[in-house]
Structures are given as C-alpha cells and as structure tokens.
Amino acid sequence: MRPFTYERATDAAGAVTSAAATPGSKFIAGGTNLLDLMKLEIEQPAHLIDVARLPLAAIEDAQDGGLRIGAMVTNSHLAADARVRARYPVLTQAIVAGGSGQLRNKATTGGNLLQRTRCAYFYDTAKPCNKRQPGSGCGALEGLNRNSAIFGGSHACIATHPSDMAVALSALGASVETLSPHGEARAFDLDDLHRLPGETPQIETHLIAGELITAVVLPPPPSGGQVYRKVRDRASYAAGLASIAVAGDQVALGAVAHKPWRARLAEAALAAGGSPTEAIAAELAGASENGRNGFKISLVARLGPVAIAEARNNGSAA
Amino acid sequence: MKTTITVNGEARTLDLDTRTTLLDALREHLGLTGSKKGCDHGQCGACTVLVNGTRINSCLSLAAMHDGDAVTTIEGIGSVGKLSPLQTAFLTEDAFQCGYCTPGQICSAVGMLQEVADNWPSQETTDLTGKISLTDDELRERMSGNICRCSAYPQIVAAIRSVAGEPA
C-alpha cells in the first residue's frame, strides 16, 4: 500500500471542504472495496477522509411515502429495515445476494454505489486496462471476457458494475443526493449517476471530484410485485453473471453493463402489452457479445421472463 | 498516528502508520495472533473479529478507522480453561482439521447468531417480514464468508447448531 494521510470528518461540509483542498484525496466509509484496491496499488490516494461516522446513517420516511436512506447506512442495516422488507423487498433481496455478512456489516449505501468493477484485467496490474491505466488497451475485449458486459460496452472497455444493491435501486427509480466540494446540494436520478465507458472508462460517474453522496431516496414503491434474481458460479458469496430486479413494471439488469442497466426497452414492451419473454427479447436486441460472454445473452433471455412472472405472482399474492 | 481501541475490554493506545490494518494492529502490535491472515482481501474470513459486537473482516479495515471502537477477538471470547460454548462445541464436534480458519469461524458465528437474534434477513430467508428460523440452509448461507480449506463444513454446522439449538 502506498503511504497516505488520514483524517476523520465530523460533518459533511467539512468532508467536502477537505476534499476540495487536498489533491489526491478520497472518501472512505466501509473501505471494503477501496482498501482491497489500495493493497493492490490500483487505488493510490494521497489522503483519506473517513466519512463513516458522519451523521448520515438514518433511514427516514419521506413526505411522499418513500424513504430517504443516509449514505452511511450499512448494507446490513438497510436490508434489515422493517420498512424496506415490507415495501421494497427487491432491495433487501438484492443486498443479501451480495458479498458476505462481514462485508455487508461494513459496506455503506454510498460506497456500494461507487464500488469498482471486478473485471480480472482491472485487478491484474500486469495486464492492459484502460480503466486502470488509460490508453493501455483492454485485455478483456479479446481475452477472458466471460464476466464482461453485453450492453453499453465500447472498444475501450467492457467491464461491468458489480453491485447488486444498485440494480434494485435502479428498478425502484431511486435518486441520489450529493454535496459538492463547494457545499452545493443537488439531487438526480440514480440512472444518471454512472456513465457508460465510451472513450474514458476511467471516469465511472457523473460526480465531480470531491463530491460526496449524502443519501439515496426511494419514491413510494410502484404497484405490483417485486423480486431480485441473481445467477452466479456458486450458491453464495460470488459476483453475479447476470441478475435482474423487477419492481412492478420496472426492470433493471445487473452484471451486464458498466452501470446498473435499467431495461427501458423491456419496460416499453411490457407497457405495450408484450409478454415477459417478448419484453426481455426486446431489450436483448441491443446486446452484443465478445466471445466468452455470449452465454449471458441466453442466460438473461431465460432468467428475465421467470423473474418478471415471479414478481407478478408476488404482487398478486400480496 | 495515535489510535485508541478497546480490545477485549482493555483500552490500548497505539502509534501506527496510517496503512496499518486492524488485523495487523491486533497481530503485530498487540500480539493477539488468534485472528488469522488468510487472503488479506476479505475473501476468506479468517480475520473476522467483532467491532462493537458486529462481525467484520479486520483485514479490510484500517486501525485508524476504529479509534474509539470496542474490538473482540477470539482471545476475548474464551481461553484455555475458560472456553466459550462455541469453542467447546468446535472441539466436541471436531469442527476443524488444521484450525487456521477456526478463530474466524467462531468470531463469525458469534456475530451471526446475534444477527439472527436481531432478525436480520439472509438470501435464504423466504418470509422477509416473519421471524427468522435458523435452518441449516440459513446457517450455511450466513457463514459463507468463512472459508475452510480442510472442508470441515458439516462439523462446523453441527458445532454451531449444538449451541444455537434446533430451528423453531
């Protein structure tokens, strides 16, 4: 690990002020992804601003009937919240499908959104990776790309976003609240947080340098049932090969793109009266493969309709 | 930097390089070598300790992040002549071969049983709004962050089961 200085922030305004004043600084909350990458020297922050104890760890009822989730709420506490379990079960299911108990106890809502890809070429510092070292090339394009994206990739990068939680948040139509380094608060749709790789896969979000996620806001749950389904190489504690979150008529796919993939084409097909199979096929019309990840297209074609049917069944049983 | 952590009930102040993980602080600076370094990347669970009663991977946390926290390691759970019920159960049920993962397994089990008592859900929980019943599927899922390369898993389940009791 490279040397760095460390400070513990006591309020969000102080944290962003410090980030603006300190080049090479990063926020650390749970640290489960950042420290892993710092040990490998993939991340080399000069300064860490510990935001874990900021007073942003509450889950509050929003006036419109939704929920406002503080950015420092741990994954475990969010999954266990009685309101989430009763009204947003897809979110609980997605969170407990990710990581291990130990990791979920440390990982935070904000940090989970900003975790980085598990692409093997990103992790292997002996290999080219445009995300880790811009301009070095992409080893996955013609390499071991079984875990790579089938939506939204570019000739520079086909890495996937690994979060399960974010897929459920996308299907639920969540928004994100932030504080800029100049102290300005803003809010935007979660679907506008992450970028597609394009020519600059090293830039993963639309956050500006030193901008801090302070909360995730859920609108009231959409009508209809919910479900999260994930397929992976072993039964527990593994990243997904493909996953799907369904909340009423809203659908998002996971482990298939550089961001949680809101399946708008599938949603439009459902709204037009199409069957679940036709809806998923409409989304997959835009998919592409690089060889070893081609199985994900048939996997999603099978997983998607089953999950939509299961969500509808959950909705009619409720 | 100066960091004060209450470890197994005793306040300990250390002056550490910022890079020191909680695991290295425990092992290298406090001589508490019960917590093990397996993968050092949060994948094996051998470093599991309890922080303020909650299980975490001590390898994926900086000591400085725990200034003011209370940490319990395997040495604080029980010792020779004063074994905790889980430690006794691991012996009785033959729940290890090499024993390297055992401190992490036991710390993890202590935290896991509290999570069940607090009615936290897992991937195996079918009724998210009901009371959790610690079936064998639930138990295995909740312990999946602890790898045992000797594959003593059936005995580990039996040991934890003997302390947790049969599911309701």
Side-chain angles (χ1 to χ4, degrees):
Chain A
M1 216 185 298
R2 300 293 176 95
F4 56 86
T5 50
Y6 170 94
E7 70 173 288
R8 184 181 286 184
T10 53
D11 60 65
V16 296
T17 301
S18 179
T22 319
S25 61
K26 272 197 176 286
F27 299 121
I28 188 166
T32 54
N33 187 230
L34 181 57
L35 285 168
D36 183 30
L37 294 168
M38 285 170 64
K39 288 181 180 191
L40 298 166
E41 300 192 352
I42 294 168
E43 293 275 13
Q44 301 179 4
H47 182 66
L48 286 183
I49 302 165
D50 186 348
V51 293
R53 302 193 196 200
L54 294 184
L56 299 172
I59 305 173
E60 301 162 322
D61 293 312
Q63 284 190 344
D64 66 353
L67 280 184
R68 186 172 184 281
I69 304 156
M72 302 309 148
V73 173
T74 66
N75 285 183
S76 290
H77 281 115
L78 182 54
D81 186 90
R83 294 161 290 186
V84 175
R85 289 156 81 160
R87 295 166 54 214
Y88 304 96
V90 64
L91 180 55
T92 290
Q93 290 171 350
I95 292 172
V96 298
S100 65
Q102 290 97 315
L103 290 174
R104 295 192 293 270
N105 285 345
K106 280 298 283 180
T108 61
T109 306
N112 183 307
L113 293 175
L114 299 181
Q115 66 181 304
R116 307 199 67 190
T117 186
R118 303 298 192 276
C119 179
Y121 294 92
F122 177 68
Y123 267 81
D124 186 345
T125 54
K127 297 284 195 304
C129 170
N130 287 321
K131 183 182 286 298
R132 175 168 37 73
Q133 192 178 349
S136 63
C138 172
L141 278 176
E142 296 180 2
L144 299 174
N145 51 34
R146 181 168 176 268
N147 292 322
S148 299
I150 54 171
F151 290 109
S154 72
H155 68 269
C157 180
I158 51 172
T160 58
H161 193 269
S163 172
D164 292 290
M165 181 193 82
V167 183
L169 291 178
S170 175
L172 289 166
S175 58
V176 175
E177 294 182 357
T178 68
L179 193 62
S180 84
H182 313 294
E184 297 146 11
R186 64 175 180 138
F188 48 88
D189 285 349
L190 173 69
D191 285 333
D192 295 328
L193 173 64
H194 298 99
R195 294 176 71 255
L196 289 176
E199 300 294 326
T200 53
Q202 74 277 17
I203 305 171
E204 296 174 347
T205 71
H206 291 289
L207 298 177
I208 59 174
E211 188 170 10
L212 178 72
I213 295 178
T214 53
V216 170
V217 179
L218 294 177
S223 60
Q226 301 176 18
V227 80
Y228 187 74
R229 293 287 299 268
K230 174 180 179 180
V231 179
R232 47 186 158 174
D233 283 330
R234 59 180 187 230
S236 183
Y237 197 16
L241 296 167
S243 69
I244 179 168
V246 185
D249 295 327
Q250 296 167 197
V251 181
L253 300 169
V256 293
H258 201 252
K259 59 185 289 188
W261 190 259
R262 182 76 182 265
R264 302 275 184 192
L265 295 173
E267 292 176 6
L270 288 174
S275 70
T277 300
E278 290 166 340
I280 293 297
E283 193 68 40
L284 285 169
S288 62
E289 62 167 288
N290 301 82
R292 297 172 195 246
N293 60 347
F295 79 101
K296 286 192 178 188
I297 295 174
S298 36
L299 182 59
V300 170
R302 292 171 187 162
L303 175 66
V306 170
I308 293 171
E310 188 176 346
R312 287 177 172 177
N313 188 51
N314 291 344
S316 59
Chain B
M1 65 184 294
K2 279 252 173 26
T3 302
T4 299
I5 306 172
T6 299
V7 181
N8 299 330
E10 191 183 337
R12 307 292 295 266
T13 299
L14 297 166
D15 194 3
L16 300 169
D17 186 300
T18 54
R19 290 172 288 184
T20 312
T21 61
L22 177 59
L23 175 62
D24 285 343
L26 295 168
R27 287 181 55 85
E28 309 295 334
H29 296 269
L30 294 174
L32 296 168
T33 52
S35 307
K36 295 295 187 277
K37 185 181 284 191
C39 68
D40 209 23
H41 286 275
Q43 298 170 0
C44 75
C47 68
T48 302
V49 301
L50 300 159
V51 173
N52 305 328
T54 300
R55 57 177 173 161
I56 69 161
N57 301 114
S58 62
C59 75
L60 279 188
S61 219
L62 297 172
M65 294 160 68
H66 294 287
D67 187 56
D69 281 343
V71 175
T72 303
T73 68
I74 190 68
E75 291 90 343
I77 284 177
S79 55
V80 176
K82 295 187 294 182
L83 295 182
S84 74
L86 269 169
Q87 288 170 313
T88 301
F90 268 63
L91 284 170
T92 306
E93 299 294 338
D94 198 18
F96 54 86
Q97 290 178 50
C98 81
Y100 195 79
C101 72
T102 310
Q105 297 278 2
I106 291 174
C107 286
S108 185
V110 170
M112 183 274 287
L113 292 175
Q114 185 60 49
E115 291 164 12
V116 173
D118 291 341
N119 211 41
W120 286 11
S122 88
Q123 180 185 227
E124 292 298 323
T125 307
T126 47
D127 178 8
L128 289 181
T129 54
K131 174 134 178 46
I132 305 291
S133 174
L134 187 63
T135 61
D136 280 359
D137 282 348
E138 280 272 13
L139 198 163
R140 290 191 195 97
E141 162 60 24
R142 290 166 187 270
M143 292 298 293
S144 73
N146 292 83
I147 309 293
C148 171
R149 286 297 73 151
C150 305
S151 229
Y153 297 112
Q155 284 74 34
I156 292 170
V157 172
I160 298 172
R161 171 66 64 209
S162 75
V163 171
E166 292 303 314

